[in-house]
Amino acid sequence: MADNGGKVIADVLAAEGVAKVFGIPDGTYLGLLNSLVASNVAVITPRHETTAIHMAGAYARLTGRLGVAMASNGPGVANALPGITVENAEGNRVLVITSSRRVGITYPDRGGTYQYFDQVAAIKPISKWSESVPSIDRLPELLRAALRWCYTGRPGVVHLDVPESIINGKAKAPAVVPPARTRRTQTLAPDPALVDRAASLLANAELPIIHAGGGVIHARAHDALQAVAEHLHSPVTTSWSGRGAMTEASELVWPITSITSTNEVRQVGDVLLILGSRVGETDWWGKPPNWRDPAEQKVIQVDIDEESIGRNKPVDLAVVGDVGVFLDELGKRLESAGVAPSSSRHVEVQRLIDNREKAAAKYRKSLENNSDPMVTAHVPLVCQEEFSDDAIVVADGGNTAVWANFFHSVNVPNTMLATPHFGMLGAGVGQALGAAEAFPDRQVYCIIGDGAFGMHPQEIETAVRNGNNVVFLVVSDRQWGMVKMTQSVAKAPVRMMIRKKLEPGATVNSDLGEVSWDQAARSMGAHGERVSNPEQLRVAIRNSLSNGGCAVIHVDVDPVKHMWAPGLLHFKKMHQEPGG
Ligand SMILES: Cc1ncc(C[n+]2csc(CCOP(=O)(O)OP(=O)(O)O)c2C)c(N)n1
Ligand SMILES: [Mg+2]
């Protein structure tokens, strides 16, 4: 077989250690597919391009490796756009390679070209970087540029558009230059003088507190964070994206679902260490009243991405670098200086923990309800009891994702996936499949709303075909539950408080029809079960796990109680800043 542009790409990906690529096959990149297979890079094929992008995103986040996805020119790329938007917003490290029509008729379009749109112009504003390859001679250089961008700044989506005439066209594949010679491959160490200053601020603090974002997960700094938090006896709050940055089995972790007690922690700390978080809208922009008045609190921010420093919350000490290296270095300094928390700090932290547990107990009241169909709170709880601690859980849907977040504890770091920045219904399907590809031997389950699952049920067949071990729990309230709740409260708040629901037809198109998800699953070769109470659910999970492969459990829940998910008022307030 003569070399072609596809081989040039496959050689570079293989040299980067890429083992799996996600995408739907197409003739426009046949040269690439053949070369990937020849290089033992597996091509994993879902039934929708946006799923491929989410699979790559989940795979990257869970393994720390580069996620690679592909889509074919025109419709394939159009289908990939939502996934690209979301994975970029979520900050997952994904390289997307697309084919485009041959060089002679594109860029610019002459009008009437088949399966063509300006893919680069469309993807540029929804990615970190997007360029087209104008000639085969420039392919190696632009691949190197793309990979450099993958590892520069905040992770996200990087896109390279390659005309079919280049992918399939004859070329002599040049010797691959090792990655270390074409980009930085070591982690970015922070300036030691800045680590010294951070150590001294923290050592002299009355109550240092830590806020961990998704950057801690990308840096795989879970153990380093736990060591520093324990050394300082510091409360650790996590952003939505940072859930699982440190084990929630530790008393020192405040998941974002402990909203009121998280606010309390942020009010009392006199030194705040922000790790890998932009402190954006879902962190209430780092502002009072959810956070302490900046005049009363010193802020240290550490981030791999210089652009994220001081962006939403002013800082007293800015540290650019890898949070894992920073925490390792900080830990050494705290130890050698013999820093130890005071007994008054222990007392204060215990008070904060007690308040957190009191608030959590209030939420747990919904578990006392044993109605059939069940209250949704039981779903994540029974799952937590039945799946192993290192199982990967994906939360998707409107209220379903809220219930799943409130009643799940991330006891093993980096085992929870969602789209906290985008709230993208249906993304969880691809994320669950990506998780199963990342860890074929681990348990993976996805708690997902019936609206969300209805966006990508075809991927059940993908899971069956690819032999993925994944259990979907489809929470069926036969409504766009979160939307029905917000519509109802907006329309008649007092009536809602008294009667908990409005009369049928009072909201605009927020009801859905019946779909038997267990039957749909069986029609595609998966195991299917339908349950409506916690005990049935427990049995169904056990059956699914002993069966192996893909299972779908249709979970009927009480549709009215489902609307009353915890924390909704707090989330409404979260979105009101800034005004205008
Ligand atoms: C792709 C997408 N479209 C629309 C929305 C707006 N939206 C937010 S929650 C929601 C309802 C979700 O319904 P379902 O998945 O059944 O979950 P439930 O709220 O019923 O638990 C909608 C339509 C969204 N977040 N994502
Ligand atoms: Mg629903």
Side-chain angles (χ1 to χ4, degrees):
M1 189 174 38
D3 291 358
N4 52 30
K7 173 148 175 37
V8 177
I9 301 170
D11 284 355
V12 169
L13 294 181
E16 288 282 339
V18 172
K20 291 187 176 183
V21 170
F22 304 92
I24 293 182
D26 186 68
T28 53
Y29 42 50
L30 193 58
L32 174 57
L33 292 170
N34 284 334
S35 298
L36 288 172
V37 172
S39 308
N40 285 325
V41 178
V43 180
I44 314 290
T45 298
R47 298 176 75 101
H48 193 297
E49 287 78 359
T50 203
T51 307
I53 310 288
H54 291 309
M55 288 174 88
Y59 176 90
R61 193 178 187 92
L62 292 171
T63 61
R65 304 175 74 159
L66 179 66
V68 183
M70 54 204 279
S72 60
N73 61 284
V77 180
N79 255 359
L81 295 178
I84 292 173
T85 313
V86 173
E87 291 304 326
N88 193 53
E90 299 302 338
N92 292 324
R93 185 173 284 115
V94 174
L95 172 65
V96 178
I97 296 175
T98 60
S99 59
S100 55
R101 293 295 312 284
R102 63 195 152 76
V103 179
I105 58 170
T106 57
Y107 297 112
D109 177 24
R110 58 183 293 180
T113 305
Y114 183 63
Q115 294 191 327
Y116 170 81
F117 68 105
D118 191 338
Q119 299 176 170
V120 169
I123 294 176
K124 243 184 201 157
I126 55 169
S127 66
K128 284 173 70 173
W129 185 88
S130 168
E131 293 295 344
S132 175
V133 179
S135 70
I136 200 148
D137 291 348
R138 294 198 59 192
L139 180 56
E141 164 224 326
L142 286 163
L143 273 167
R144 290 199 295 267
L147 285 157
R148 203 172 298 118
W149 273 104
C150 285
Y151 291 95
T152 303
R154 181 178 187 266
V157 175
V158 170
H159 167 234
L160 192 64
D161 196 44
V162 195
E164 56 176 321
S165 44
I166 293 178
I167 299 182
N168 293 332
K170 283 203 180 91
K172 174 98 192 74
V176 177
V177 185
R181 299 194 62 199
T182 62
R183 61 175 176 83
R184 176 181 57 78
T185 50
Q186 321 83 332
T187 44
L188 197 63
D191 179 345
L194 297 178
V195 186
D196 287 343
R197 281 178 57 194
S200 121
L201 274 169
L202 291 162
N204 293 311
E206 207 160 296
L207 176 59
I209 60 169
I210 300 175
H211 178 64
V216 176
I217 291 173
H218 288 293
R220 320 191 78 65
H222 321 112
D223 295 345
L225 170 59
Q226 187 168 357
V228 165
E230 283 172 359
H231 196 113
L232 291 169
H233 200 61
S234 276
V236 178
T237 65
T238 51
S239 70
W240 282 113
S241 180
R243 261 206 100 171
M246 179 173 154
T247 171
E248 291 172 8
S250 162
E251 282 201 321
L252 289 174
V253 175
W254 270 250
I256 195 153
T257 44
S258 345
I259 302 172
T260 46
S261 24
T262 294
N263 289 347
E264 192 182 10
V265 167
R266 289 171 180 158
Q267 287 296 341
V268 293
D270 60 332
V271 175
L272 164 66
L273 173 62
I274 300 173
L275 301 168
S277 167
R278 291 174 298 180
V279 197
E281 184 172 353
T282 49
D283 284 320
W284 287 267
W285 303 111
K287 284 188 184 170
N290 297 70
W291 299 66
R292 193 166 183 174
D293 184 334
E296 299 167 5
Q297 191 176 57
K298 288 257 179 289
V299 178
I300 307 163
Q301 187 181 5
V302 187
D303 208 288
I304 193 86
D305 178 27
E306 195 161 355
E307 266 209 62
S308 298
I309 301 251
R311 204 166 177 179
N312 294 318
K313 187 169 178 60
V315 298
D316 297 283
L317 181 62
V319 185
V320 178
D322 180 84
V323 292
V325 181
F326 171 84
L327 285 165
D328 284 340
E329 291 300 315
L330 177 67
K332 282 184 212 155
R333 282 164 176 75
L334 294 175
E335 199 153 321
S336 67
V339 175
S342 64
S343 57
S344 63
R345 185 181 303 169
H346 275 279
V347 172
E348 177 64 349
V349 171
Q350 192 55 51
R351 183 184 72 80
L352 294 165
I353 292 171
D354 292 346
N355 286 350
R356 181 186 67 206
E357 295 314 309
K358 265 184 239 153
K362 272 193 211 147
Y363 286 126
R364 278 198 291 270
K365 281 218 172 316
S366 44
L367 293 166
E368 290 164 12
N369 189 305
N370 283 320
S371 62
D372 190 335
M374 70 185 112
V375 177
T376 314
H378 288 290
V379 180
L381 220 75
V382 172
C383 284
Q384 183 118 52
E385 286 164 12
E386 292 301 321
F387 289 94
S388 42
D389 247 9
D390 74 344
I392 291 150
V393 53
V394 184
D396 188 359
N399 278 11
T400 299
V402 176
W403 286 108
N405 265 287
F406 271 81
F407 290 91
H408 178 78
S409 172
V410 186
N411 294 335
V412 174
N414 197 10
T415 52
M416 187 168 199
L417 295 170
T419 52
H421 292 289
F422 223 82
M424 183 75 170
L425 298 180
V429 177
Q431 289 177 314
L433 299 195
E437 288 294 341
F439 296 114
D441 300 325
R442 293 242 304 257
Q443 294 172 352
V444 176
Y445 65 100
C446 175
I447 303 178
I448 185 165
D450 50 356
F453 196 61
M455 292 185 174
H456 292 290
Q458 75 284 358
E459 306 297 358
I460 297 170
E461 188 279 329
T462 301
V464 171
R465 177 168 30 90
N466 291 334
N468 296 137
N469 293 318
V470 56
V471 180
F472 290 100
L473 299 110
V474 187
V475 172
S476 301
D477 59 346
R478 293 178 311 283
Q479 57 197 10
W480 303 104
M482 181 180 269
V483 174
K484 189 164 183 174
M485 179 66 177
T486 43
Q487 277 194 34
S488 305
V489 171
K491 186 165 179 172
V494 178
R495 226 171 339 138
M496 274 299 276
M497 287 313 289
I498 298 167
R499 290 203 221 145
K500 304 291 179 205
K501 63 170 183 174
L502 302 185
E503 61 283 4
T507 54
V508 183
N509 293 355
S510 54
D511 290 305
L512 291 166
E514 160 82 9
V515 177
S516 299
W517 298 110
D518 52 326
Q519 288 185 36
R522 284 196 286 273
S523 79
M524 289 182 247
H527 179 74
E529 301 232 12
R530 183 164 184 163
V531 302
S532 59
N533 66 49
E535 279 323 301
Q536 289 173 350
L537 174 60
R538 198 178 293 284
V539 174
I541 294 172
R542 288 182 188 169
N543 291 345
S544 302
L545 287 175
S546 68
N547 206 56
C550 178
V552 177
I553 305 176
H554 178 126
V555 186
D556 286 305
V557 296
D558 181 318
V560 175
K561 297 199 178 81
H562 183 73
M563 282 199 293
W564 292 85
L568 291 183
L569 266 183
H570 293 285
F571 302 136
K572 194 169 161 50
K573 275 197 205 141
M574 172 196 277
H575 299 305
Q576 276 153 17
E577 275 236 29

